[in-house]
Amino acid sequence: MAHESPPIVISREGSAHRGSDITPIGFWRLYQIHGLLLENTYPNCPSIAKYLEVSVRTVERDIDRLRDLFIAPIQYDRTRRGYYYAEPFELPPVRLGDGEAIALFLGQRLLAQCKGTPFEEFVQQAMAKIRILLPQSVVVDVERTLGSVSFQAEPLRGEELEVADRYQLLAKAIIDRKSVLVEYYTMTRDEITHRKIDPYHLRFSEGTWYCIGHCHHRNTIRTFALDRMLHLEAIEDSFSIPDDFSVDEYLSHSLSIERGEPQKVVLEFDRVQAAYIRGRKWHHSQTLEELPGGALRMTLTVGGLGEVKRWVTGMGSHGWVVEPEELQEEIAEELAKARERYLPAKELRI
């Protein structure tokens, strides 16, 4: 008679109810080892480690987990130099609630659109492993449900494979705490510079990957777009990320990614645009004030007014700047230039 264990139910915290701290990938490894043992080929730790592409120590811990958590009757045969089940044994099924399974697969759909990084491939690999743990009926039901869900992700700025290569190099440099040499194109000045950068953080914003790090050329922390990096090379110079560095604090006054001297900005929106503005938190510093006729006033403190300028200009006549005055003037100048481009077409029609 096969030894039976109660089913493993994944909790909201993501760990097993039976006190295990095993991750979903860890569970996948246990099921893979279980399958090897069922083949009666007497696998040992080195052969299992090679098969799973993990360390021998990881396999030893997994075998201990099978014994301790699932009471698996694993024995070692010294003659055949491998492990086997001393009696029939089956691992319990992993059960996810409907909502948990949907959330898991929904996360896969969303993360898979994270172009320009290895994440898409890794997510697909991880989900393939998790599918092994789930009953086929659950997989089919969830995928049928998700057929009615889709995402319109912002297209990646830059050539995808080039950005992916730069991302991987920078991610490794951040882990290894190694500086990089960058040939960087600055669009606003239309110039190419050579810089040494200590990369601290990678951030995805509005379809673009950015690297935040210490620029030795400027001797300060700067933000660099990966698609503007013409050449990137890791070097052996080591660095340390300051203890007081926080990416949230660094970008605390940014509307998205652009930084500048923080200043008070007051915006107003007509009734049409106000309905859209009320439904979202645009910046942590914002305050909203209702105005007559359904209009709305927003006050916030931000740096990098270029992002505010592009945001408000995109609203046409439905949103405008009350202050600062210099931002009013910049937008008025921009709209005047746009008007000049449309006037000749209008005159031709006349």
Side-chain angles (χ1 to χ4, degrees), residues 98 102 106 109 138-149:
D98 291 342
I102 290 174
L106 194 63
R109 287 269 185 97
V138 172
V139 174
V140 171
D141 288 346
V142 169
E143 290 188 338
R144 184 183 296 119
T145 301
L146 292 183
S148 60
V149 179

Side-chain angles (χ1 to χ4, degrees), residues 243-264:
D243 293 336
D244 60 353
F245 172 76
S246 164
V247 69
D248 292 332
E249 183 177 337
Y250 177 76
L251 296 174
S252 62
H253 293 297
S254 302
L255 191 61
S256 175
I257 194 74
E258 185 181 358
R259 296 180 77 249
E261 187 66 29
Q263 56 184 301
K264 177 183 176 182

Side-chain angles (χ1 to χ4, degrees), residues 19-90:
S20 167
D21 59 352
I22 307 175
T23 65
I25 301 304
F27 272 116
W28 174 83
R29 286 200 313 271
L30 298 187
Y31 275 76
Q32 291 293 299
I33 295 172
H34 172 65
L36 293 174
L37 292 171
L38 289 177
E39 293 175 1
N40 293 319
T41 56
Y42 294 86
N44 54 32
C45 288
S47 65
I48 296 173
K50 183 177 181 180
Y51 177 75
L52 296 178
E53 298 182 344
V54 297
S55 69
V56 171
R57 181 63 186 134
T58 296
V59 175
E60 291 172 347
R61 286 196 297 265
D62 286 341
I63 289 175
D64 288 340
R65 283 169 172 158
L66 283 168
R67 286 168 168 162
D68 297 340
L69 295 176
F70 302 98
I71 322 299
I74 300 175
Q75 299 291 336
Y76 183 79
D77 189 310
R78 295 186 180 277
T79 302
R80 303 198 184 195
R81 297 181 179 179
Y83 292 99
Y84 68 99
Y85 280 136
E87 60 182 85
F89 174 78
E90 286 296 334

Side-chain angles (χ1 to χ4, degrees), residues 7-27:
I8 296 299
V9 182
I10 304 299
S11 69
R12 292 182 180 179
E13 291 75 22
S15 59
H17 283 181
R18 295 175 61 199
S20 167
D21 59 352
I22 307 175
T23 65
I25 301 304
F27 272 116

